[in-house]
Amino acid sequence: MANVKATIPKGTRDFNPQQMGQRNFIFDTLKKVFKKYGYQEIQTPAMESLDTLTGKYGDEGDQLMFKVLNNGDYLSKIDANLTTIKSQTLTSKITEKALRYDLTVPFARYVVMHQTEISLPFKRYQIQPVWRADRPQRGRYREFYQCDVDVVGSNSLLNEAEFIAIYDEALSNLGLRNFTIKINNRKILTGIAEILGKPEAIVSLTVALDKLDKIGFEGVQTELLSKGFTPANIQQLKPLILLTGTNTEKLESLKLILATSPTGLQGINEIYTVLNYLASFTLQHATIELDLSLARGLHYYTGCIFEVKTNQATMGSIGGGGRYDNLTGMFGLQGLTGVGISFGADRIYDVLEELNLFTTNSQQITQVLICVLGKDEETYSLSVLNQLRRKNIAAELYPFGTKIKKQMQYANDKHIAYAIIVGSQEMKTGKLTFKNMLTGQQQSLEIAEIEKQLKTT
RNA sequence: GCGGUCGUAGCUCAGUUGGUUAGAGCACUGGUUUGUGGUGCCGGGGGUCGUGGGUUCGAGCCCCAUCGUCCGCCCCA
């Protein structure tokens, strides 16, 4: 074997034991909340058929998808000239699988495939990695974990309200104390496009609006003008976009402006309904904010949309989601509505790390290390080891062959709280040397006494 | 796909206007009366200076290319 440089692909990461402890803290916290709200876990394959995924995320999404090269002699099946064929055409001939780009589309596929075995409304959660061939930078990776919670088969807006409650509870439990859940409704955006007399321009409108907090109203204005909107349109838009006040005040003003758009009014009503439901919930640390510039890129949303930002650190959104009325329609199952949210685990990790919110005790597992001074001592200690383990005490025996100094160092590096030292003296008397690695104190104790001490710590 | 930044030991970096055998801290390793860690003391190993060209008597340092990193833009978790 040639000597290969040890590296991993761009935008991917290894996780060491300490990091895994911290990551599992996030996953466990989320799972606990998901289950509490009645959601069950599923998993889907890392790769899906290319057909399942393409066209669901727009052209950009298709480009950012990692495609899996066919196995076998795939070139033999191509009759085109390799020097002139277009990459896209070639790709479709040598690729039929791709790594999943998100968890929502595979979930829709799952629902359609297993429709006979699930009972509606179906509430599931899913925590798995997704892959995007994006350019890595702060808070952006090529392999990252999404934690999705979705319900299909229920059009009640109570679901939307519960998702806000889930966001609040989960993020609060993780230790975040100041975050904003932005809410908007796709129908309101449609209504706005309608009263501008440009219902067909909804996409370019939303894309431009989405950038409001980045490029400001001026920037949005420039972008809209370049997309065919008139200065008169901009004048109409301005008061809408720059609406201020409480959520209710914003909704009241909107009601007047969108009076002639039934769709727009419906969107307003939906938000009202969600907020009314929410009045019966007690939120811990979330701020709910109606944000008309919230658009979200994904094409399949049709009703309420959400996005979560922390106000304690500079980071893109740490979660998002919304209502999609016809996602399963693409797979032939019509009339099934769904709504769901997603947590970006890796971004949440980065935020918790930055804010120092991880507790330190997440990694020490082994409670006691048995250090032996000889081969006979090793044999003798095996029964001690097994006895401790039977009592559910996490114990390790350092195999004989290394100096005791090295063994102690191992215990120290691994943050093991106690060491048991077994030499000829200990074997003779049956009293083992029990050492507290933190204080350095040692006692001579029989196994039963050691067990008792370990049990109480 | 576009713009900027950086690339010297396992890690974090120093390296003076280009000038001999490229340095530090940490980590690793050996010793310090061989039954004891975390704190002391002494010693040791380890670098084709990202890679490939070029300029020069001479390049870690200058020029070009290439790969990679990190940070912005687009888009997104």
Side-chain angles (χ1 to χ4, degrees), chain A residues 433-444:
Chain A
T433 302
F434 184 60
K435 175 166 184 161
N436 182 324
M437 292 297 287
L438 210 67
T439 64
Q441 284 178 335
Q442 298 189 173
Q443 318 170 249
S444 270

Side-chain angles (χ1 to χ4, degrees), chain A residues 95-106:
Chain A
T95 289
E96 49 196 30
K97 299 178 285 298
L99 296 179
R100 73 165 98 74
Y101 183 84
D102 74 354
L103 299 178
T104 309
V105 169

Side-chain angles (χ1 to χ4, degrees), chain A residues 34-75:
Chain A
F34 297 165
K35 285 179 192 162
K36 195 159 129 188
Y37 282 74
Y39 289 81
Q40 295 177 294
E41 180 164 24
I42 69 162
Q43 293 205 331
T44 62
M47 28 179 179
E48 294 276 347
S49 291
L50 194 55
D51 297 338
T52 303
L53 302 182
T54 39
K56 307 297 191 299
Y57 314 101
D59 292 341
E60 188 99 21
D62 289 351
Q63 283 181 352
L64 295 180
M65 224 142 57
F66 278 107
K67 290 150 192 104
V68 178
L69 194 59
N70 288 348
N71 288 75
D73 188 7
Y74 47 82
L75 275 185

Side-chain angles (χ1 to χ4, degrees), chain A residues 13 26 137-141 313 315 345-355 358:
Chain A
R13 295 147 303 154
I26 296 177
Q137 49 188 277
R138 179 177 159 77
R140 171 175 301 183
Y141 307 98
M315 177 60 77
D346 302 86
R347 284 190 176 175
I348 291 173
Y349 180 96
D350 290 347
V351 169
L352 296 186
E353 174 92 287
E354 187 178 326
L355 298 176
F358 285 116

Side-chain angles (χ1 to χ4, degrees), chain A residues 204 286-287 337 399:
Chain A
S204 41
T287 306
T337 181

Side-chain angles (χ1 to χ4, degrees), chain A residues 120-386:
Chain A
L120 302 177
F122 181 53
K123 301 164 86 171
R124 76 87 233 231
Y125 74 88
Q126 186 173 354
I127 297 178
Q128 288 190 277
V130 305
W131 294 268
R132 295 183 189 176
D134 221 331
R135 190 130 186 186
Q137 49 188 277
R138 179 177 159 77
R140 171 175 301 183
Y141 307 98
R142 287 188 151 184
E143 178 184 63
F144 62 98
Y145 275 70
Q146 286 193 330
C147 313
D148 272 30
V149 218
D150 289 80
V151 51
V152 292
S154 167
N155 55 19
S156 167
L157 291 160
L158 174 59
N159 295 303
E160 273 85 341
E162 285 210 346
F163 281 131
I164 291 177
I166 289 177
Y167 265 139
D168 177 61
E169 185 165 343
L171 295 176
S172 297
N173 288 354
L174 285 171
L176 295 182
R177 287 296 171 264
N178 184 357
F179 50 93
T180 303
I181 302 174
K182 293 184 179 179
I183 181 172
N184 194 11
N185 196 296
R186 210 66 186 228
K187 294 183 178 109
I188 293 178
L189 296 170
T190 307
I192 294 174
E194 276 176 20
I195 62 157
L196 293 181
K198 290 194 170 0
E200 76 289 347
I202 172 83
V203 173
S204 41
L205 177 68
T206 55
V207 168
L209 285 184
D210 204 30
K211 297 177 194 165
L212 183 64
D213 60 332
K214 259 185 192 162
I215 57 178
F217 185 76
E218 300 295 312
V220 173
Q221 188 172 336
T222 318
E223 173 148 348
L224 285 174
L225 288 173
S226 75
K227 289 279 158 59
F229 288 84
T230 64
N233 290 151
I234 308 280
Q235 283 313 307
Q236 263 181 297
L237 265 176
K238 193 165 182 177
L240 273 173
I241 309 300
L242 303 178
L243 265 188
T244 53
T246 66
N247 291 335
T248 322
E249 285 167 3
K250 288 184 190 167
L251 285 170
E252 287 304 318
S253 323
L254 261 182
K255 221 186 227 174
L256 299 176
I257 302 171
L258 295 180
T260 57
S261 162
T263 310
L265 289 177
Q266 200 191 331
I268 295 170
N269 271 330
E270 289 185 5
I271 303 266
Y272 264 126
T273 310
V274 172
L275 292 180
N276 280 336
Y277 273 124
L278 226 42
S280 304
F281 290 71
T282 315
L283 296 185
Q284 298 176 51
H285 299 289
T287 306
I288 313 295
E289 179 191 335
L290 174 64
D291 181 356
L292 292 180
S293 74
L294 174 60
R296 298 198 49 81
L298 293 179
H299 292 179
Y300 44 70
Y301 291 124
T302 53
C304 283
I305 44 186
F306 313 104
E307 191 160 289
V308 189
K309 291 202 71 171
T310 169
N311 304 314
Q312 295 171 271
T314 314
M315 177 60 77
S317 62
I318 55 175
R323 165 80 63 175
Y324 39 89
D325 275 336
N326 199 27
L327 194 58
T328 57
M330 296 161 164
F331 303 111
L333 182 59
Q334 303 296 332
L336 201 55
T337 181
V339 56
I341 55 170
S342 178
F343 291 78
D346 302 86
R347 284 190 176 175
I348 291 173
Y349 180 96
D350 290 347
V351 169
L352 296 186
E353 174 92 287
E354 187 178 326
L355 298 176
N356 251 312
L357 291 177
F358 285 116
T359 45
T360 43
N361 59 0
S362 52
Q363 57 160 332
Q364 105 185 18
I365 300 166
T366 305
Q367 287 171 268
V368 57
L369 179 76
I370 304 176
C371 307
V372 295
L373 293 166
K375 198 68 192 168
D376 292 343
E377 285 88 337
E378 183 186 86
T379 312
Y380 174 89
S381 299
L382 286 177
S383 69
V384 177
L385 178 67
N386 284 310

